[in-house]
């Protein structure tokens, strides 16, 4: 897969963020200040979380389902 930024993430894509595995539950939402909000499911604990991070950052190990 080509280089993907956090702003490119779509629903049902798996990725890592700071060493934790997540499943995106919705497309990344731009916050208008260089940040995005991503609603995710923690792959290990099955807890829902919201990640806010730089839109141009690069998540690790991205895979589309």
């Amino acid at each position: 897969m080509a280089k993907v930024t956090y702003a490119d993430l779509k629903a049902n894509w798996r990725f890592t963020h700071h060493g934790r595995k997540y499943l995106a539950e919705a497309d990344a939402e731009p916050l208008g200040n260089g940040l995005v909000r991503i609603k995710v499911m923690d792959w290990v604990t099955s807890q829902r979380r919201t990640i806010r991070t730089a839109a141009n950052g690069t998540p690790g190990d991205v895979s589309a389902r």
Side-chain angles (χ1 to χ4, degrees), residues 4-38:
V4 176
T5 64
Y6 284 106
D8 298 329
L9 289 176
K10 303 291 182 199
N12 295 319
W13 284 17
R14 293 180 297 209
F15 65 98
T16 58
H17 176 72
H18 294 294
R20 294 197 63 93
K21 295 179 183 179
Y22 294 103
L23 172 67
E25 293 189 327
D27 294 356
E29 304 171 41
L31 297 176
N33 53 359
L35 299 174
V36 291
R37 176 175 40 214
I38 310 162

Side-chain angles (χ1 to χ4, degrees), residues 4 17 26 30 33 35 41 47-50 54 58-59 61 65:
V4 176
H17 176 72
N33 53 359
L35 299 174
M41 174 74 73
Q47 292 181 336
R48 287 190 162 90
R49 299 177 184 214
T50 300
T58 306
D61 301 328
R65 282 181 78 185

